[in-house]
Amino acid sequence: MTHLKIFISPVEIGLTNFEMKGSAVQFQQRQMDEIAPIFLDHEAVKKFPSQTVVYSVQSWQPVAEGTPGGLFFGVSTIMPGKVGREYFMTKGHFHAQSDCAEFYWGVQGKGVLILMDRDRNTWGEEVYPGSLHYIGQDIAHRLANTGDQNLVVGACWPSDAGHDYDEIAGNGFSARLIEINGQPVLVSE
Ligand code: F6R
Ligand code: MN
């Protein structure tokens, strides 16, 4: 019986570093060998040990994936680094249910949220502690770390959004975030 009881939530979050704790927290890591094809410079990829962690994601999915009306919560950590001149970044995706939006917010470090619409227009939003990002319907999204410390970003998205990785894996974004004269620049493919 839950009536009149006061519970402790199964998940808590560090208010400064956003580290999630609790038995319901899931953890996923993406290593260089797994995501190597997303980077432009395939020779530069080979300089990294294959198990180099590029990013990790903690998440709390309180309902089954695909459930309408629920929410998921996550914290992504992208390591600092560059493959050639291209910053470490996430795979990036459209949502499978393409009318599902998402919020991101910057917690630590600095980076760029790279966004692309279905017409393949690509643009970026600067990510920094306190930056808040609304990722609208049908917009592909990817995070790149442009700093020299971990980039930590919170996220909240609908439980029925799903992930379409194939479109980006096949066709990429129409621009890449490259370091030019020490600055991040979006360069058309
Ligand atoms: C969820 C979401 C984030 C990303 C995470 C890793 O919809 O956008 O939690 O899943 O930043 O990026 P991907 O999923 O592109 O590997
Ligand atoms: Mn998403």
Side-chain angles (χ1 to χ4, degrees):
M1 286 287 286
T2 55
H3 185 53
L4 300 183
K5 286 191 179 163
I6 296 175
F7 296 94
I8 289 178
S9 167
V11 176
E12 53 181 51
I13 185 150
L15 282 183
T16 49
N17 61 6
F18 260 59
E19 190 181 331
M20 295 170 66
K21 289 192 179 138
S23 54
V25 176
Q26 297 176 25
F27 182 71
Q28 187 181 47
Q29 269 187 343
R30 297 286 186 202
Q31 297 178 358
M32 190 60 85
D33 54 352
E34 187 189 348
I35 64 162
I38 70 174
F39 294 104
L40 179 66
D41 187 340
H42 294 159
E43 285 308 308
V45 162
K46 292 180 194 156
K47 294 180 189 151
F48 291 89
S50 59
Q51 294 191 335
T52 302
V53 174
V54 180
Y55 63 98
S56 62
V57 183
Q58 286 190 301
S59 66
W60 182 21
Q61 309 196 347
V63 294
E65 172 119 44
T67 305
L71 292 171
F72 291 163
F73 185 96
V75 177
S76 303
T77 301
I78 299 92
M79 309 306 158
K82 286 192 297 281
V83 176
R85 291 190 302 146
E86 189 173 28
Y87 299 97
F88 276 18
M89 60 185 177
T90 60
K91 292 198 305 180
H93 56 268
F94 285 97
H95 289 151
Q97 184 91 36
S98 59
D99 60 355
C100 287
E102 178 164 9
F103 272 119
Y104 277 8
W105 59 97
V107 176
Q108 275 177 14
K110 68 174 189 172
V112 175
L113 169 61
I114 304 166
L115 300 160
M116 183 178 76
D117 66 21
R118 291 283 181 186
D119 294 329
R120 299 188 59 75
N121 298 300
T122 297
W123 67 100
E125 288 184 8
E126 286 190 25
V127 183
Y128 53 89
S131 65
L132 183 59
H133 310 273
Y134 180 71
I135 301 164
Q137 301 176 345
D138 229 0
I139 302 291
H141 41 289
R142 151 181 284 171
L143 286 163
N145 185 343
T146 59
D148 51 16
Q149 57 169 302
N150 288 355
L151 174 67
V152 181
V153 177
C156 186
W157 68 100
S159 49
D160 57 349
H163 296 95
D164 170 10
Y165 289 106
D166 291 349
E167 170 63 28
I168 298 299
N171 300 316
F173 281 65
S174 64
R176 290 181 177 274
L177 195 72
I178 302 289
E179 186 186 65
I180 300 177
N181 297 329
Q183 294 300 318
V185 179
L186 277 171
V187 176
S188 266
E189 277 276 80

